[in-house]
Amino acid sequence: MSEILEVIERIIGELRSEGMNPNIMLAGPQFIEYSKDALKQINLKIYRIEELGYDAVIADSNYLGQIKKASRRVSVEPIIEEKEVWNEIKNLDV
């Protein structure tokens, strides 16, 4: 779970360094399910958007849709897939 928290915090930092004030997250149900512990530790208003699935968008709500640099998209799917691969490797009899 720490991986996704690190990614979220890094994205928030990137947005702040570009002069944005990230204050919302639009997140798919699978993203929320996988990341629920990490989401408790961040100070963003979270909106569930079914169509996002395993993805989430962190954004400054004042500029969302107006300028491209106001948001970043993140996905937990690659993290889940990587963990599954490592679990398969651990289970191999070598």
Side-chain angles (χ1 to χ4, degrees):
M1 198 52 48
S2 63
E3 299 102 352
I4 193 63
L5 182 59
E6 289 175 16
V7 171
I8 292 170
E9 288 176 342
R10 189 191 66 199
I11 291 172
I12 290 171
E14 288 175 5
L15 288 167
R16 285 188 177 141
S17 72
E18 294 179 7
M20 297 291 113
N21 181 27
N23 58 350
I24 64 169
M25 176 185 282
L26 311 175
Q30 292 86 357
F31 184 94
I32 292 171
E33 179 63 31
Y34 182 79
S35 308
K36 58 187 164 195
D37 293 334
L39 296 178
K40 293 175 186 176
Q41 299 179 42
I42 61 172
N43 189 25
L44 297 175
K45 178 83 172 165
I46 300 168
Y47 297 92
R48 181 182 168 123
I49 308 293
E50 292 293 324
E51 292 79 7
L52 286 174
Y54 287 93
D55 295 354
V57 176
I58 300 169
D60 181 334
S61 63
N62 293 319
Y63 298 104
L64 184 61
Q66 296 176 6
I67 52 178
K68 188 175 181 175
K69 72 175 189 173
S71 65
R72 298 280 190 287
R73 191 168 184 146
V74 62
S75 179
V76 294
E77 200 166 22
I79 296 171
I80 293 171
E81 289 174 3
E82 181 180 349
K83 284 187 177 192
E84 289 174 358
V85 168
W86 282 111
N87 286 336
E88 289 179 19
I89 290 171
K90 287 179 186 177
N91 293 332
L92 290 175
D93 290 329
V94 180

Coordinates of all heavy atoms in Angstrom, one line a residue:
M1 N 0.8 -1.2 0.0 CA 0.0 0.0 0.0 C 0.9 1.3 0.0 O 0.4 2.3 -0.5 CB -0.9 0.0 1.2 CG -2.1 0.9 1.1 SD -3.1 0.8 -0.4 CE -3.4 -0.9 -0.6
S2 N 2.1 1.1 0.5 CA 2.9 2.3 0.6 C 3.3 2.8 -0.8 O 3.5 4.0 -1.0 CB 4.2 2.0 1.4 OG 4.9 1.0 0.8
E3 N 3.3 1.9 -1.8 CA 3.7 2.3 -3.2 C 2.7 3.3 -3.7 O 3.1 4.4 -4.2 CB 3.7 1.1 -4.1 CG 4.7 0.1 -3.8 CD 4.0 -1.1 -3.1 OE1 2.8 -1.1 -2.8 OE2 4.7 -2.1 -2.9
I4 N 1.4 3.1 -3.5 CA 0.4 4.0 -4.1 C 0.4 5.3 -3.3 O 0.2 6.3 -3.9 CB -1.0 3.3 -4.1 CG1 -1.9 4.2 -5.0 CG2 -1.6 3.1 -2.7 CD1 -1.6 4.3 -6.4
L5 N 0.6 5.2 -2.0 CA 0.7 6.5 -1.2 C 1.9 7.3 -1.7 O 1.7 8.5 -1.8 CB 0.8 6.2 0.3 CG 0.9 7.4 1.2 CD1 -0.4 8.3 1.0 CD2 1.0 7.0 2.7
E6 N 3.0 6.7 -1.9 CA 4.2 7.4 -2.5 C 3.9 8.0 -3.8 O 4.3 9.2 -4.0 CB 5.4 6.5 -2.6 CG 6.0 6.0 -1.3 CD 7.1 5.0 -1.4 OE1 7.6 4.8 -2.6 OE2 7.4 4.4 -0.4
V7 N 3.2 7.3 -4.7 CA 2.8 7.9 -6.0 C 1.9 9.0 -5.9 O 2.1 10.1 -6.5 CB 2.2 6.8 -6.9 CG1 1.7 7.3 -8.2 CG2 3.2 5.7 -7.2
I8 N 0.9 8.9 -5.0 CA -0.1 10.0 -4.8 C 0.6 11.2 -4.3 O 0.4 12.4 -4.8 CB -1.2 9.6 -3.9 CG1 -2.1 8.5 -4.6 CG2 -2.1 10.8 -3.5 CD1 -3.1 7.8 -3.7
E9 N 1.5 11.1 -3.3 CA 2.2 12.2 -2.7 C 3.1 12.8 -3.7 O 3.3 14.1 -3.7 CB 2.9 11.7 -1.4 CG 2.0 11.5 -0.3 CD 2.7 10.9 1.0 OE1 3.9 10.4 0.8 OE2 2.1 11.0 2.0
R10 N 3.8 12.0 -4.5 CA 4.7 12.6 -5.6 C 3.9 13.4 -6.6 O 4.3 14.5 -6.9 CB 5.4 11.5 -6.3 CG 6.5 12.0 -7.2 CD 7.0 11.0 -8.1 NE 5.9 10.7 -8.9 CZ 5.5 9.7 -9.6 NH1 6.2 8.8 -9.8 NH2 4.5 9.5 -10.3
I11 N 2.7 12.9 -7.0 CA 1.9 13.7 -7.9 C 1.4 15.0 -7.3 O 1.4 16.0 -7.9 CB 0.7 12.8 -8.4 CG1 1.2 11.7 -9.3 CG2 -0.3 13.6 -9.1 CD1 0.2 10.7 -9.6
I12 N 1.0 14.9 -6.0 CA 0.6 16.2 -5.3 C 1.7 17.2 -5.3 O 1.5 18.4 -5.6 CB 0.1 15.8 -3.9 CG1 -1.3 15.1 -4.0 CG2 -0.1 17.1 -3.1 CD1 -1.8 14.5 -2.7
G13 N 2.9 16.7 -5.0 CA 4.1 17.6 -5.0 C 4.4 18.2 -6.4 O 4.7 19.3 -6.5
E14 N 4.3 17.3 -7.4 CA 4.5 17.9 -8.8 C 3.5 19.0 -9.1 O 3.9 20.0 -9.7 CB 4.3 16.7 -9.8 CG 5.4 15.7 -9.8 CD 5.2 14.6 -10.8 OE1 4.1 14.6 -11.5 OE2 6.0 13.6 -10.7
L15 N 2.2 18.7 -8.8 CA 1.2 19.8 -9.1 C 1.5 21.0 -8.3 O 1.4 22.1 -8.9 CB -0.2 19.2 -8.8 CG -0.7 18.2 -9.7 CD1 -1.9 17.5 -9.2 CD2 -1.0 18.8 -11.1
R16 N 1.9 20.9 -7.0 CA 2.2 22.1 -6.2 C 3.4 22.8 -6.8 O 3.4 24.1 -6.8 CB 2.4 21.7 -4.8 CG 1.1 21.4 -4.1 CD 1.3 21.2 -2.6 NE 0.0 20.9 -2.0 CZ -0.2 20.0 -1.0 NH1 0.8 19.3 -0.5 NH2 -1.4 19.9 -0.5
S17 N 4.4 22.1 -7.3 CA 5.6 22.8 -7.8 C 5.3 23.5 -9.1 O 6.0 24.4 -9.5 CB 6.7 21.8 -8.0 OG 6.4 20.9 -9.2
E18 N 4.2 23.2 -9.7 CA 3.7 23.9 -10.9 C 2.7 25.0 -10.6 O 2.1 25.5 -11.5 CB 3.2 22.9 -12.0 CG 4.2 21.9 -12.5 CD 3.7 20.9 -13.5 OE1 2.5 21.0 -13.8 OE2 4.4 20.0 -13.9
G19 N 2.6 25.3 -9.4 CA 1.7 26.4 -9.0 C 0.2 26.0 -8.8 O -0.6 26.8 -8.6
M20 N -0.1 24.7 -8.8 CA -1.4 24.2 -8.7 C -1.7 23.9 -7.2 O -0.8 23.8 -6.4 CB -1.7 22.9 -9.5 CG -1.5 23.1 -11.0 SD -2.9 24.1 -11.7 CE -1.9 25.5 -12.2
N21 N -3.0 23.8 -6.8 CA -3.4 23.5 -5.5 C -4.3 22.2 -5.6 O -5.5 22.3 -5.6 CB -4.1 24.6 -4.8 CG -4.5 24.3 -3.4 OD1 -3.9 23.5 -2.7 ND2 -5.6 24.9 -2.9
P22 N -3.7 21.0 -5.6 CA -4.5 19.8 -5.8 C -5.4 19.6 -4.6 O -4.9 19.5 -3.4 CB -3.5 18.7 -5.9 CG -2.2 19.2 -5.3 CD -2.3 20.7 -5.5
N23 N -6.7 19.6 -4.8 CA -7.6 19.4 -3.7 C -8.7 18.4 -3.9 O -9.5 18.1 -3.1 CB -8.3 20.8 -3.4 CG -9.0 21.4 -4.6 OD1 -8.9 20.9 -5.7 ND2 -9.8 22.4 -4.4
I24 N -8.7 17.8 -5.1 CA -9.7 16.7 -5.4 C -9.1 15.5 -6.1 O -8.0 15.6 -6.7 CB -10.9 17.2 -6.3 CG1 -10.4 17.6 -7.7 CG2 -11.7 18.3 -5.6 CD1 -11.5 17.8 -8.7
M25 N -9.8 14.4 -5.9 CA -9.4 13.2 -6.6 C -10.6 12.5 -7.2 O -11.6 12.4 -6.5 CB -8.7 12.1 -5.7 CG -8.4 10.8 -6.4 SD -7.7 9.6 -5.3 CE -6.0 10.1 -5.1
L26 N -10.6 12.3 -8.5 CA -11.7 11.5 -9.1 C -11.1 10.1 -9.3 O -10.1 9.9 -9.9 CB -12.0 12.1 -10.5 CG -12.2 13.6 -10.6 CD1 -12.3 14.1 -12.0 CD2 -13.4 14.0 -9.8
A27 N -11.8 9.1 -8.6 CA -11.3 7.8 -8.6 C -12.3 6.7 -8.9 O -13.5 6.8 -8.6 CB -10.7 7.5 -7.2
G28 N -11.8 5.7 -9.6 CA -12.6 4.6 -10.0 C -12.8 3.7 -8.8 O -12.0 3.7 -7.9
P29 N -13.8 2.8 -8.9 CA -14.1 2.0 -7.7 C -13.0 1.0 -7.4 O -12.7 0.7 -6.2 CB -15.4 1.2 -8.2 CG -15.6 1.5 -9.6 CD -14.8 2.7 -9.9
Q30 N -12.3 0.4 -8.4 CA -11.2 -0.5 -8.1 C -10.0 0.3 -7.6 O -9.3 -0.3 -6.7 CB -10.8 -1.2 -9.4 CG -11.9 -2.2 -9.9 CD -12.9 -1.6 -10.8 OE1 -12.9 -0.4 -11.0 NE2 -13.9 -2.4 -11.3
F31 N -9.8 1.5 -8.0 CA -8.7 2.3 -7.4 C -9.0 2.5 -5.9 O -8.1 2.4 -5.1 CB -8.6 3.6 -8.1 CG -7.5 4.5 -7.7 CD1 -6.2 4.4 -8.3 CD2 -7.6 5.3 -6.5 CE1 -5.2 5.2 -7.9 CE2 -6.5 6.1 -6.1 CZ -5.3 6.0 -6.8
I32 N -10.2 2.9 -5.6 CA -10.6 3.2 -4.2 C -10.5 1.9 -3.4 O -9.9 1.9 -2.3 CB -12.1 3.7 -4.1 CG1 -12.1 5.1 -4.8 CG2 -12.6 3.7 -2.7 CD1 -13.5 5.7 -4.9
E33 N -11.0 0.8 -3.9 CA -10.9 -0.5 -3.2 C -9.4 -0.9 -2.8 O -9.1 -1.2 -1.7 CB -11.6 -1.6 -4.0 CG -11.5 -3.0 -3.3 CD -12.3 -3.0 -2.0 OE1 -13.3 -2.3 -1.8 OE2 -11.9 -3.8 -1.1
Y34 N -8.6 -0.8 -3.8 CA -7.2 -1.2 -3.6 C -6.4 -0.2 -2.8 O -5.5 -0.5 -2.0 CB -6.5 -1.3 -5.0 CG -5.1 -1.7 -4.9 CD1 -4.7 -3.1 -4.7 CD2 -4.0 -0.8 -4.9 CE1 -3.4 -3.5 -4.5 CE2 -2.7 -1.2 -4.8 CZ -2.4 -2.5 -4.6 OH -1.1 -2.9 -4.5
S35 N -6.8 1.1 -2.8 CA -6.0 2.2 -2.2 C -6.7 2.8 -0.9 O -6.2 3.8 -0.4 CB -5.8 3.3 -3.2 OG -5.3 2.9 -4.4
K36 N -7.7 2.1 -0.4 CA -8.5 2.7 0.7 C -7.6 3.1 1.9 O -7.9 4.2 2.5 CB -9.7 1.9 1.1 CG -9.3 0.5 1.6 CD -10.6 -0.3 1.8 CE -10.2 -1.8 1.8 NZ -11.3 -2.6 1.7
D37 N -6.6 2.4 2.2 CA -5.8 2.7 3.4 C -5.0 4.0 3.1 O -4.8 4.9 3.9 CB -4.8 1.6 3.8 CG -5.6 0.4 4.4 OD1 -6.7 0.6 4.9 OD2 -5.1 -0.7 4.2
A38 N -4.4 4.1 1.9 CA -3.7 5.3 1.5 C -4.5 6.5 1.4 O -4.1 7.6 1.7 CB -3.0 5.0 0.1
L39 N -5.8 6.3 0.9 CA -6.7 7.5 0.7 C -7.0 8.1 2.1 O -7.3 9.3 2.1 CB -7.9 7.0 0.0 CG -7.7 6.6 -1.5 CD1 -9.0 6.2 -2.1 CD2 -7.0 7.6 -2.3
K40 N -7.0 7.3 3.2 CA -7.3 7.9 4.5 C -6.2 8.8 5.0 O -6.5 9.7 5.8 CB -7.4 6.7 5.5 CG -8.6 5.9 5.3 CD -8.7 4.7 6.2 CE -9.8 3.7 5.9 NZ -9.8 2.5 6.7
Q41 N -5.0 8.7 4.4 CA -3.9 9.5 4.8 C -3.7 10.8 4.0 O -2.8 11.6 4.3 CB -2.6 8.7 4.7 CG -2.7 7.4 5.6 CD -1.4 6.6 5.5 OE1 -0.4 7.1 5.5 NE2 -1.6 5.3 5.5
I42 N -4.5 11.0 3.0 CA -4.3 12.2 2.1 C -5.4 13.2 2.4 O -6.5 12.8 2.8 CB -4.2 11.9 0.6 CG1 -5.4 11.2 0.1 CG2 -2.9 11.0 0.4 CD1 -5.5 11.0 -1.4
N43 N -5.2 14.4 2.1 CA -6.2 15.5 2.4 C -6.8 16.0 1.1 O -6.5 17.1 0.7 CB -5.5 16.6 3.2 CG -6.5 17.6 3.7 OD1 -7.7 17.3 3.9 ND2 -6.1 18.8 3.9
L44 N -7.5 15.1 0.4 CA -8.2 15.4 -0.9 C -9.6 15.0 -0.8 O -10.0 14.0 -0.1 CB -7.5 14.7 -2.0 CG -6.1 15.0 -2.4 CD1 -5.6 14.0 -3.5 CD2 -5.8 16.4 -2.8
K45 N -10.5 15.8 -1.4 CA -11.9 15.4 -1.5 C -11.9 14.4 -2.6 O -11.4 14.6 -3.7 CB -12.7 16.7 -1.9 CG -14.2 16.4 -2.1 CD -14.9 16.4 -0.8 CE -16.4 16.3 -1.1 NZ -17.2 15.9 0.0
I46 N -12.5 13.2 -2.3 CA -12.5 12.1 -3.2 C -13.9 11.9 -3.8 O -14.9 11.8 -3.1 CB -12.0 10.8 -2.6 CG1 -10.6 11.0 -2.1 CG2 -12.1 9.6 -3.5 CD1 -10.1 10.0 -1.1
Y47 N -14.0 11.8 -5.2 CA -15.3 11.6 -5.9 C -15.1 10.2 -6.6 O -14.2 10.0 -7.3 CB -15.6 12.7 -6.9 CG -15.8 14.0 -6.2 CD1 -14.7 14.9 -6.1 CD2 -17.0 14.4 -5.8 CE1 -14.9 16.1 -5.5 CE2 -17.2 15.6 -5.2 CZ -16.2 16.5 -5.0 OH -16.4 17.7 -4.4
R48 N -16.1 9.4 -6.4 CA -16.1 8.1 -7.1 C -16.7 8.2 -8.5 O -17.8 8.7 -8.6 CB -16.9 7.1 -6.3 CG -16.9 5.7 -6.8 CD -17.8 4.8 -5.9 NE -18.1 3.6 -6.6 CZ -17.8 2.4 -6.1 NH1 -17.3 2.3 -4.9 NH2 -18.1 1.3 -6.7
I49 N -15.9 7.8 -9.5 CA -16.4 7.9 -10.9 C -16.2 6.4 -11.5 O -15.1 5.9 -11.7 CB -15.5 8.8 -11.7 CG1 -15.4 10.2 -11.1 CG2 -16.0 8.9 -13.1 CD1 -16.7 11.0 -11.0
E50 N -17.3 5.8 -11.7 CA -17.4 4.4 -12.2 C -16.5 4.2 -13.4 O -15.8 3.2 -13.5 CB -18.8 4.0 -12.5 CG -19.7 3.9 -11.3 CD -19.4 2.8 -10.3 OE1 -18.9 1.7 -10.8 OE2 -19.5 3.0 -9.1
E51 N -16.5 5.1 -14.3 CA -15.8 4.9 -15.6 C -14.3 4.9 -15.4 O -13.6 4.4 -16.4 CB -16.2 6.0 -16.6 CG -17.6 5.9 -17.1 CD -18.6 6.5 -16.1 OE1 -18.3 7.1 -15.1 OE2 -19.8 6.4 -16.4
L52 N -13.7 5.4 -14.3 CA -12.3 5.4 -14.2 C -11.7 4.0 -13.8 O -10.5 3.8 -14.0 CB -11.9 6.4 -13.2 CG -12.0 7.9 -13.7 CD1 -11.7 8.9 -12.5 CD2 -11.0 8.1 -14.8
G53 N -12.5 3.1 -13.3 CA -12.0 1.8 -13.0 C -10.8 1.7 -12.0 O -10.9 2.1 -10.9
Y54 N -9.6 1.3 -12.5 CA -8.4 1.3 -11.7 C -7.6 2.6 -11.7 O -6.6 2.6 -11.1 CB -7.5 0.1 -12.3 CG -8.0 -1.2 -12.0 CD1 -8.8 -1.9 -12.9 CD2 -7.7 -1.9 -10.8 CE1 -9.3 -3.2 -12.6 CE2 -8.2 -3.2 -10.5 CZ -8.9 -3.8 -11.4 OH -9.4 -5.1 -11.2
D55 N -8.2 3.6 -12.3 CA -7.5 4.9 -12.4 C -8.0 5.9 -11.5 O -9.2 5.8 -11.0 CB -7.5 5.4 -13.8 CG -6.8 4.5 -14.8 OD1 -6.1 3.5 -14.4 OD2 -6.9 4.8 -16.0
A56 N -7.2 7.0 -11.3 CA -7.7 8.2 -10.5 C -7.0 9.4 -11.1 O -6.0 9.3 -11.7 CB -7.3 8.1 -9.1
V57 N -7.7 10.5 -11.0 CA -7.2 11.8 -11.4 C -7.1 12.7 -10.2 O -8.0 12.9 -9.5 CB -8.1 12.4 -12.5 CG1 -7.6 13.8 -12.9 CG2 -8.2 11.5 -13.7
I58 N -5.9 13.2 -10.0 CA -5.6 14.2 -8.9 C -5.6 15.6 -9.5 O -4.9 15.7 -10.5 CB -4.3 13.9 -8.1 CG1 -4.4 12.5 -7.6 CG2 -4.1 14.9 -7.1 CD1 -3.1 11.9 -7.0
A59 N -6.4 16.5 -9.0 CA -6.5 17.8 -9.7 C -6.7 19.0 -8.8 O -7.1 18.8 -7.6 CB -7.6 17.7 -10.7
D60 N -6.5 20.1 -9.4 CA -6.8 21.4 -8.7 C -8.2 21.8 -9.3 O -8.3 22.0 -10.5 CB -5.8 22.5 -9.1 CG -6.1 23.8 -8.5 OD1 -7.3 24.1 -8.2 OD2 -5.1 24.6 -8.3
S61 N -9.2 21.7 -8.5 CA -10.6 21.9 -9.0 C -10.8 23.3 -9.6 O -11.7 23.5 -10.4 CB -11.6 21.7 -7.9 OG -11.4 22.6 -6.8
N62 N -10.0 24.3 -9.2 CA -10.2 25.6 -9.8 C -9.8 25.7 -11.3 O -10.3 26.5 -12.0 CB -9.3 26.6 -9.0 CG -9.8 26.8 -7.6 OD1 -11.0 26.9 -7.4 ND2 -8.9 26.9 -6.7
Y63 N -8.9 24.7 -11.7 CA -8.4 24.8 -13.1 C -8.7 23.5 -13.9 O -8.3 23.4 -15.1 CB -6.9 25.1 -13.1 CG -6.6 26.4 -12.5 CD1 -6.0 26.5 -11.2 CD2 -6.8 27.6 -13.2 CE1 -5.7 27.7 -10.6 CE2 -6.5 28.8 -12.6 CZ -5.9 28.8 -11.3 OH -5.6 30.0 -10.8
L64 N -9.4 22.6 -13.3 CA -9.6 21.3 -14.0 C -10.4 21.5 -15.2 O -11.5 22.2 -15.2 CB -10.4 20.4 -13.1 CG -10.7 19.0 -13.6 CD1 -9.4 18.2 -13.9 CD2 -11.5 18.2 -12.6
G65 N -10.0 21.0 -16.3 CA -10.6 21.2 -17.6 C -10.2 22.5 -18.3 O -10.6 22.7 -19.5
Q66 N -9.5 23.4 -17.7 CA -9.1 24.7 -18.3 C -7.7 24.6 -18.8 O -7.4 25.1 -19.9 CB -9.3 25.8 -17.3 CG -10.7 26.0 -16.9 CD -10.8 27.1 -15.8 OE1 -9.8 27.8 -15.5 NE2 -12.0 27.3 -15.3
I67 N -6.8 24.0 -18.0 CA -5.4 23.9 -18.4 C -4.9 22.5 -18.1 O -5.3 21.8 -17.1 CB -4.5 24.9 -17.7 CG1 -4.7 24.9 -16.2 CG2 -4.7 26.3 -18.2 CD1 -3.7 25.9 -15.4
K68 N -4.2 21.9 -19.0 CA -3.7 20.5 -18.9 C -2.9 20.2 -17.7 O -3.0 19.2 -17.1 CB -2.9 20.2 -20.2 CG -2.6 18.7 -20.3 CD -1.9 18.4 -21.6 CE -1.6 16.9 -21.7 NZ -1.1 16.6 -23.0
K69 N -2.1 21.1 -17.3 CA -1.2 20.9 -16.1 C -1.9 20.9 -14.8 O -1.3 20.7 -13.8 CB 0.0 21.8 -16.1 CG -0.4 23.3 -15.7 CD 0.9 24.1 -15.6 CE 0.5 25.5 -15.0 NZ 1.7 26.2 -14.7
A70 N -3.2 21.1 -14.8 CA -4.0 21.1 -13.5 C -4.3 19.8 -12.9 O -4.9 19.7 -11.8 CB -5.3 21.9 -13.7
S71 N -4.0 18.7 -13.7 CA -4.3 17.4 -13.2 C -3.3 16.3 -13.6 O -2.5 16.5 -14.6 CB -5.7 16.9 -13.7 OG -5.7 16.8 -15.1
R72 N -3.3 15.2 -12.9 CA -2.4 14.0 -13.3 C -3.3 12.8 -13.1 O -4.1 12.7 -12.1 CB -1.2 13.9 -12.4 CG -0.2 15.1 -12.4 CD 0.7 15.0 -13.6 NE 1.7 15.9 -13.5 CZ 1.6 17.2 -13.7 NH1 0.4 17.8 -14.0 NH2 2.7 18.0 -13.6
R73 N -3.0 11.8 -13.9 CA -3.8 10.6 -13.8 C -2.8 9.5 -13.3 O -1.6 9.5 -13.7 CB -4.3 10.2 -15.2 CG -5.2 9.0 -15.2 CD -5.9 8.9 -16.5 NE -6.9 7.8 -16.4 CZ -8.1 7.8 -17.1 NH1 -8.4 8.9 -17.9 NH2 -8.9 6.8 -17.0
V74 N -3.3 8.6 -12.5 CA -2.5 7.5 -11.9 C -3.4 6.3 -11.9 O -4.6 6.3 -11.9 CB -2.1 7.9 -10.4 CG1 -3.3 8.0 -9.5 CG2 -1.2 6.8 -9.9
S75 N -2.7 5.1 -12.1 CA -3.4 3.8 -12.1 C -2.8 2.9 -11.1 O -1.6 2.8 -11.0 CB -3.4 3.2 -13.5 OG -4.0 2.0 -13.5
V76 N -3.6 2.1 -10.5 CA -3.1 1.0 -9.6 C -2.9 -0.3 -10.3 O -2.3 -1.2 -9.8 CB -4.0 0.8 -8.3 CG1 -4.0 2.0 -7.4 CG2 -5.4 0.4 -8.7
E77 N -3.4 -0.4 -11.5 CA -3.4 -1.6 -12.3 C -2.0 -2.2 -12.4 O -1.7 -3.3 -12.2 CB -4.1 -1.5 -13.6 CG -4.5 -2.8 -14.2 CD -5.5 -2.6 -15.3 OE1 -5.6 -1.5 -15.9 OE2 -6.2 -3.6 -15.6
P78 N -1.0 -1.3 -12.8 CA 0.4 -1.8 -12.9 C 1.0 -2.3 -11.6 O 1.7 -3.3 -11.6 CB 1.2 -0.6 -13.4 CG 0.2 0.3 -14.0 CD -1.1 0.1 -13.3
I79 N 0.6 -1.7 -10.5 CA 1.1 -2.1 -9.2 C 0.5 -3.5 -8.9 O 1.2 -4.4 -8.4 CB 0.7 -1.1 -8.1 CG1 1.5 0.2 -8.4 CG2 1.0 -1.6 -6.7 CD1 1.0 1.4 -7.6
I80 N -0.8 -3.7 -9.1 CA -1.5 -5.0 -8.9 C -0.8 -6.1 -9.7 O -0.5 -7.2 -9.2 CB -3.0 -4.9 -9.1 CG1 -3.6 -3.9 -8.1 CG2 -3.6 -6.2 -9.1 CD1 -5.1 -3.6 -8.4
E81 N -0.6 -5.8 -11.0 CA 0.0 -6.8 -11.9 C 1.4 -7.2 -11.5 O 1.7 -8.3 -11.5 CB 0.0 -6.3 -13.3 CG -1.4 -6.2 -14.0 CD -1.4 -5.6 -15.3 OE1 -0.3 -5.2 -15.8 OE2 -2.5 -5.4 -15.9
E82 N 2.2 -6.2 -11.0 CA 3.5 -6.5 -10.6 C 3.5 -7.4 -9.3 O 4.3 -8.3 -9.2 CB 4.2 -5.2 -10.2 CG 5.7 -5.4 -9.8 CD 6.4 -4.1 -9.4 OE1 5.9 -3.0 -9.8 OE2 7.5 -4.2 -8.8
K83 N 2.6 -7.1 -8.4 CA 2.5 -8.0 -7.2 C 2.1 -9.4 -7.6 O 2.6 -10.3 -7.0 CB 1.5 -7.4 -6.2 CG 2.0 -6.2 -5.5 CD 1.1 -5.7 -4.4 CE 1.7 -4.6 -3.6 NZ 1.1 -4.3 -2.4
E84 N 1.2 -9.5 -8.5 CA 0.7 -10.8 -9.0 C 1.9 -11.6 -9.6 O 2.1 -12.8 -9.3 CB -0.4 -10.7 -10.0 CG -1.7 -10.3 -9.3 CD -2.8 -10.1 -10.3 OE1 -2.6 -10.2 -11.6 OE2 -3.9 -9.7 -9.9
V85 N 2.7 -10.9 -10.4 CA 3.9 -11.6 -11.0 C 4.9 -12.1 -9.9 O 5.4 -13.2 -9.9 CB 4.6 -10.7 -12.0 CG1 6.0 -11.2 -12.4 CG2 3.7 -10.4 -13.2
W86 N 5.1 -11.2 -8.9 CA 6.1 -11.6 -7.8 C 5.5 -12.7 -7.0 O 6.2 -13.6 -6.6 CB 6.4 -10.4 -6.9 CG 7.4 -9.5 -7.6 CD1 7.2 -8.2 -8.1 CD2 8.8 -9.8 -7.8 NE1 8.4 -7.7 -8.6 CE2 9.3 -8.6 -8.5 CE3 9.6 -10.9 -7.6 CZ2 10.7 -8.6 -8.9 CZ3 10.9 -10.8 -8.0 CH2 11.4 -9.7 -8.6
N87 N 4.2 -12.7 -6.8 CA 3.6 -13.9 -6.1 C 3.7 -15.2 -6.9 O 4.0 -16.2 -6.3 CB 2.1 -13.6 -5.8 CG 1.9 -12.6 -4.7 OD1 2.8 -12.4 -3.8 ND2 0.8 -11.9 -4.6
E88 N 3.5 -15.1 -8.2 CA 3.7 -16.3 -9.0 C 5.1 -16.8 -9.0 O 5.4 -18.0 -8.9 CB 3.3 -16.0 -10.5 CG 1.8 -15.8 -10.6 CD 1.4 -15.5 -12.1 OE1 2.3 -15.7 -13.0 OE2 0.3 -14.9 -12.3
I89 N 6.1 -15.8 -9.0 CA 7.5 -16.2 -8.9 C 7.8 -16.9 -7.6 O 8.5 -17.9 -7.5 CB 8.4 -15.0 -9.2 CG1 8.3 -14.5 -10.6 CG2 9.9 -15.3 -8.8 CD1 9.0 -13.2 -10.9
K90 N 7.3 -16.4 -6.5 CA 7.5 -16.9 -5.2 C 6.9 -18.4 -5.1 O 7.5 -19.2 -4.4 CB 6.9 -16.1 -4.1 CG 7.6 -14.8 -3.8 CD 6.8 -14.0 -2.8 CE 7.5 -12.6 -2.6 NZ 6.7 -11.8 -1.6
N91 N 5.8 -18.6 -5.8 CA 5.2 -19.9 -5.7 C 5.8 -21.0 -6.7 O 5.4 -22.1 -6.6 CB 3.7 -19.8 -6.1 CG 3.0 -19.0 -5.0 OD1 3.4 -19.0 -3.8 ND2 1.9 -18.4 -5.4
L92 N 6.8 -20.6 -7.5 CA 7.4 -21.5 -8.4 C 8.4 -22.4 -7.6 O 9.0 -22.0 -6.7 CB 8.2 -20.8 -9.4 CG 7.4 -20.0 -10.5 CD1 8.4 -19.3 -11.4 CD2 6.6 -21.0 -11.3
D93 N 8.4 -23.7 -8.0 CA 9.3 -24.6 -7.4 C 10.6 -24.6 -8.2 O 10.6 -25.3 -9.2 CB 8.7 -26.0 -7.2 CG 7.6 -26.1 -6.2 OD1 7.7 -25.3 -5.2 OD2 6.7 -26.9 -6.4
V94 N 11.6 -23.9 -7.8 CA 12.8 -23.8 -8.6 C 13.9 -24.5 -7.8 O 14.1 -24.4 -6.7 CB 13.2 -22.4 -8.9 CG1 14.4 -22.3 -9.7 CG2 12.0 -21.7 -9.7

